Amino acid sequence: MLRNRTGLGVPTNSPVGTRFCDNGDHLAVALPLRDTQDFAANEGPVITAYRRFETDPDTDGDRPPVRMYLQDGGVPTIMVWVLQTLGAPGLVGRLVTKGTQYWWQRVTNTNDNNVSSELSEILGESPSLARSLPLLGMGEDVANGVLHLNSKAVLVNSWTPKDSRHHFSAMRVRINDLSRRLGAKFKAKPDVPTERTVTVHPLGGCPADTSEFAGVVDSFGRVRGVPGLWIVDGSVMPGPVGANPSLTIAAFARRAAVTLRDDEDVDGPPSTPLDPPLAE
């Protein structure tokens, strides 16, 4: 939309690129306290459980309560292998020794096709990170990010965690508490400002209409001022969903699809008036 807004005829006062946020995403890792402790984070599916938290509002009433979700994550098996390889002492020596033993076993016993035990001995014990439990946090950050193209036509994002510091601090308090209850540890201090975050739920950029402002699209995903163009992905969210947003996006897409199916003039203007109108 940013690259083609002129060619598409998007109104100049359309809020394209605004209301960007990361859905309050925060990645943490609960580290085992003992070498024998193993959360087996590389086995089974991720997000098998979640807890919803809501903090009490500040006594002075200046800040609303923070609502968040914490979920169990996972470590991909391939990542465990990489971590084991990088952190395994004496790896080269064991590789030569076990490789030679395995070659000799194959020569003397053609039915021995199991390499798992030899590979396990080569790699050694799992590093602590491979035995840790990733914790996935998400919630309601401030959707004040602006997306734009720089002089090289590269997408630039102005969003930072600064204005959402209250949210991330409250989330780290809950993560610390949950880690202690699991008999694990989490190193981040709640009061240390978060400078960067990692998100898998980028939202906004083409926000839909709300009761407070006119968006890039209406409540059906129809781009205002561009007949026939519809947007139904996460970019139409005008703010954080809080939980994993996939079902919310799917519900919006289904709503748009049903309307698109029944629209008699798809390439024409929307069949219903757009309200509220774009601000002058």
Side-chain angles (χ1 to χ4, degrees):
M1 287 291 289
L2 288 171
R3 189 185 299 272
N4 300 295
R5 62 184 302 171
T6 302
L8 291 171
V10 178
T12 56
N13 57 347
S14 176
V16 176
T18 63
R19 307 290 302 180
F20 180 85
C21 68
D22 74 352
N23 201 48
D25 281 9
H26 191 56
L27 174 64
V29 179
L31 299 173
L33 294 175
R34 302 175 299 276
D35 291 340
T36 57
Q37 192 174 12
D38 192 346
F39 291 111
N42 65 314
E43 299 180 4
V46 301
I47 312 181
T48 59
Y50 75 92
R51 284 291 304 274
R52 184 181 184 274
F53 296 98
E54 181 172 337
T55 65
D56 295 328
D58 289 354
T59 55
D60 57 9
D62 289 342
R63 291 175 176 172
V66 175
R67 290 177 286 267
M68 70 189 83
Y69 291 85
L70 295 183
Q71 303 169 342
D72 62 299
V75 178
T77 300
I78 185 64
M79 181 60 68
V80 174
W81 281 32
V82 171
L83 292 171
Q84 288 174 332
T85 302
L86 294 177
L91 175 65
V92 176
R94 290 201 302 276
L95 183 61
V96 173
T97 301
K98 294 298 179 181
T100 303
Q101 290 179 1
Y102 179 69
W103 173 80
W104 180 249
Q105 290 175 3
R106 289 298 305 275
V107 171
T108 58
N109 182 10
T110 57
N111 293 323
D112 183 12
N113 294 317
N114 185 6
V115 300
S116 58
S117 60
E118 288 84 356
L119 183 60
S120 177
E121 293 183 36
I122 290 173
L123 294 177
E125 295 184 359
S126 302
S128 59
L129 184 59
R131 304 194 309 275
S132 64
L133 177 64
L135 296 174
L136 312 177
M138 59 202 72
E140 300 176 353
D141 58 337
V142 179
N144 60 354
V146 177
L147 305 174
H148 68 275
L149 300 176
N150 63 14
S151 58
K152 297 182 180 180
V154 175
L155 186 65
V156 179
N157 176 21
S158 71
W159 187 92
T160 70
K162 180 179 179 181
D163 293 331
S164 303
R165 189 168 297 170
H166 184 56
H167 161 78
F168 290 110
S169 295
M171 181 173 289
R172 285 195 293 271
V173 169
R174 295 295 182 180
I175 290 174
N176 272 308
D177 181 61
L178 180 59
S179 298
R180 285 193 298 268
R181 291 174 180 270
L182 292 172
K185 61 181 178 180
F186 174 61
K187 295 183 177 180
K189 295 182 179 180
D191 55 349
V192 175
T194 301
E195 299 299 333
R196 298 181 67 87
T197 62
V198 176
T199 181
V200 294
H201 304 132
L203 301 176
C206 293
D209 292 340
T210 72
S211 59
E212 298 181 359
F213 63 85
V216 177
V217 303
D218 68 357
S219 60
F220 295 95
R222 297 174 292 195
V223 178
R224 299 169 63 89
V226 187
L229 181 60
W230 302 55
I231 300 177
V232 293
D233 59 11
S235 67
V236 304
M237 299 294 125
V241 175
N244 308 65
S246 56
L247 289 179
T248 304
I249 296 171
F252 186 91
R254 185 183 186 279
R255 170 185 168 90
V258 171
T259 303
L260 176 62
R261 179 196 62 188
D262 298 335
D263 198 335
E264 297 180 356
D265 187 8
V266 175
D267 293 328
S271 55
T272 56
L274 295 181
D275 185 40
L278 284 172
E280 294 297 336

